[in-house]
Amino acid sequence: MKFQPYFDAAVAQIKAENRYRVFADLERQVGQFPKATFRKNGAAKDVTVWCSNDYLGMGQHPDVLTALCNTARNTGSGAGGTRNISGTSHPLVSLENELADLHHKESALVFTSGFVSNEASLSTIGKLLPNCLILSDELNHASMIEGIRRAGCEKKLFRHNDLAHLEELLKAADHDRPKLIAFESVYSMDGDIAPIEAIADLADQYNALTYIDEVHAVGMYGPRGGGMTDALGLSHRIDVVEGTLAKAFGTLGGYIASSEALVDAIRSYAPGFIFTTALPPAVTAAATASIRHLKASQVERDGQQRQVASTIKALTDAGLPVMPTQTHIVPVWVGDPMLCKAASDRLLEVHDIYIQPINYPTVPRGTERLRITPTPFHSETLIAELCDAMLEVWAHLGIDRADEPVRDDFVANRQRIAIHRAGG
């Protein structure tokens, strides 16, 4: 292949920057979560997964598996087409109704992934609103950045969770100009929370729509698992709620919930929705079962929050550099890509613990970390094993365990947001 050197050079560049990604071959075990079988070079061993986005273990819940298997037996494995060409199954319609109810909205629309739901929705809204201005938090997810880029309208970044900067940008725009504020509720790499009510207040004052990404909060927070907006009683203050079915709900897919008019417009105009095969009925039925369970059950949320608190306390008491967090995301600072990868490798190879290293471009250079996500199934015994293993790894690799300097560096790095987060 005559162009092979270009691809080789591109991969070599990533390796030279110590950000080449290696995927772990894992096989989850129903009934044994968070255990999984790890395979490498023909060998297999059991490991404990500490970085899963299946935050509540709903991917193995009996109600979810029953709905998945029964629906697959009754309807088959696939959707059969796009939503317009025979792919709008009854289980999918039921799921959208369930999601609209979850967020107290008139309508909902399901996509094949959370990335697609953000990309398709933000790009379409930006195109449909004449002379639209999108104001985006600088730490927004790559899917939001891509959607805003594809919208082709003017955008402005506001400093992370900085209300004064957001208001400054809103003030500078014409009051009657269509404006959209795009932000997340829970930021998945740092574990902090947006000032949702204050942003909604600014949107009302300056005539702007609000678009919130709740992917790391749906199922996790609120009396019915509707996310941070549900927990704070603010669902009615947000115009568009975007979420995922692939994290706390334990299945697959993304969605938005909003007014009937806005959802219908995206349904009718978004290429990322129109020209892709629908989710299979079995997957949508499983998602509906998960949502219905978590609407009624607080057991999973209580258990998860208890084990998160226990994990944070244990790691902090051990002197490990846990970054400040307000949520279930427990980042442990490393600050160097080579050490971060080496720590992850040693945890897996020596201690049978899997935590994926988080390096650039997911986070800015110099802020590399291990991102831990405890679930209700991470017992006190597993937490103690994690602490012992991390202490051994930190000592073996000579990683800095100083607390305050780490926190200072974290704040400084987050203030000078990396170019890739600016959405270039």
Side-chain angles (χ1 to χ4, degrees):
M1 183 176 176
K2 59 184 178 182
F3 300 118
Q4 185 73 30
Y6 294 101
F7 303 121
D8 290 340
V11 173
Q13 178 65 32
I14 292 176
K15 289 182 176 179
E17 295 174 2
N18 297 304
R19 58 187 184 94
Y20 181 73
R21 300 182 183 210
V22 177
F23 300 150
D25 181 348
L26 299 170
E27 183 176 0
R28 305 206 307 169
Q29 304 168 6
V30 172
Q32 302 298 319
F33 184 80
K35 296 290 184 180
T37 301
F38 169 68
R39 291 183 171 84
K40 183 177 181 180
N41 299 327
K45 67 175 181 177
D46 285 346
V47 299
T48 303
V49 178
W50 273 96
C51 58
S52 174
N53 284 340
D54 189 358
Y55 294 135
L56 301 177
M58 291 301 293
Q60 65 167 9
H61 194 280
D63 292 353
V64 176
L65 296 181
T66 297
L68 179 79
C69 295
N70 287 347
T71 306
R73 278 191 286 265
N74 292 333
T75 67
S77 61
T82 65
R83 291 294 297 270
N84 188 51
I85 305 177
S86 80
T88 301
S89 64
H90 180 65
L92 181 46
V93 174
S94 298
L95 172 59
E96 289 177 335
N97 291 334
E98 200 71 40
L99 288 165
D101 174 76
L102 176 66
H103 294 292
H104 305 287
K105 300 298 182 187
E106 293 176 350
S107 188
L109 193 66
V110 169
F111 299 79
T112 50
S113 74
F115 190 104
V116 174
S117 59
N118 267 333
E119 186 277 328
S121 300
L122 284 166
S123 63
T124 302
I125 293 170
K127 289 175 181 176
L128 292 179
L129 292 176
N131 193 30
C132 181
L133 170 64
I134 299 181
L135 301 110
S136 174
D137 188 291
E138 66 180 352
L139 288 190
N140 278 342
H141 189 264
S143 59
M144 301 178 76
I145 293 170
E146 181 63 14
I148 294 167
R149 186 189 68 81
R150 290 177 62 84
C153 60
E154 185 180 4
K155 69 169 183 184
K156 291 187 181 294
L157 298 181
F158 60 93
R159 291 185 292 272
H160 180 56
N161 284 347
D162 189 330
L163 294 170
H165 189 211
L166 174 58
E167 183 170 18
E168 178 186 323
L169 297 174
L170 287 165
K171 274 184 179 179
D174 184 271
H175 183 79
D176 294 328
R177 181 183 184 182
K179 296 176 286 293
L180 176 70
I181 304 171
F183 63 108
E184 300 182 38
S185 61
V186 172
Y187 287 84
S188 62
M189 291 301 129
D190 298 337
D192 56 342
I193 302 170
I196 300 171
E197 185 171 20
I199 289 176
D201 289 342
L202 288 175
D204 290 345
Q205 183 178 352
Y206 293 100
N207 190 34
L209 291 173
T210 47
Y211 182 108
I212 192 168
D213 178 314
E214 286 259 43
V215 297
H216 290 278
V218 290
M220 305 287 296
Y221 300 98
R224 301 197 313 158
M228 281 297 170
T229 49
D230 183 29
L232 300 172
L234 296 172
S235 297
H236 64 291
R237 302 288 310 279
I238 301 297
D239 295 298
V240 186
V241 176
E242 187 269 345
T244 185
L245 306 168
K247 293 182 171 63
F249 293 129
T251 57
L252 179 69
Y255 66 89
I256 59 164
S258 186
S259 67
E260 186 173 349
L262 187 146
V263 168
D264 198 20
I266 293 174
R267 180 189 73 86
S268 301
Y269 279 91
F273 173 81
I274 295 170
F275 298 106
T276 191
T277 300
L279 285 180
V283 172
T284 58
T288 300
S290 182
I291 294 165
R292 287 176 179 168
H293 177 84
L294 290 174
K295 278 182 176 179
S297 173
Q298 190 66 28
V299 172
E300 291 80 9
R301 286 188 282 276
D302 287 345
Q304 197 259 359
Q305 290 167 17
R306 181 180 62 248
Q307 297 314 105
V308 167
S310 183
T311 302
I312 292 172
K313 184 179 187 305
L315 295 176
T316 303
D317 288 350
L320 289 159
V322 179
M323 296 164 65
T325 179
Q326 300 170 275
T327 62
H328 59 282
I329 309 295
V330 184
V332 179
W333 179 275
V334 178
D336 177 274
M338 292 183 66
L339 286 175
C340 198
K341 177 66 166 62
S344 174
D345 288 346
R346 187 166 181 84
L347 283 169
L348 183 59
E349 293 165 5
V350 177
H351 300 282
D352 300 335
I353 287 174
Y354 175 62
I355 307 174
Q356 184 67 15
I358 305 297
N359 291 343
Y360 178 87
T362 304
V363 296
R365 289 185 175 92
T367 70
E368 293 81 8
R369 79 242 3 217
L370 298 180
R371 176 182 175 273
I372 297 168
T373 54
T375 75
F377 299 94
H378 285 91
S379 65
E380 297 300 318
T381 299
L382 291 179
I383 293 172
E385 291 174 358
L386 173 67
C387 279
D388 290 343
M390 291 185 71
L391 286 171
E392 189 279 333
V393 168
W394 252 246
H396 181 82
L397 297 175
I399 303 175
D400 186 10
R401 285 172 52 191
D403 189 37
E404 289 308 315
V406 163
R407 293 172 189 266
D408 292 343
D409 288 347
F410 166 63
V411 172
N413 271 289
R414 200 159 73 177
Q415 290 304 313
R416 60 175 199 274
I417 190 68
I419 292 174
H420 75 283
R421 285 292 194 185

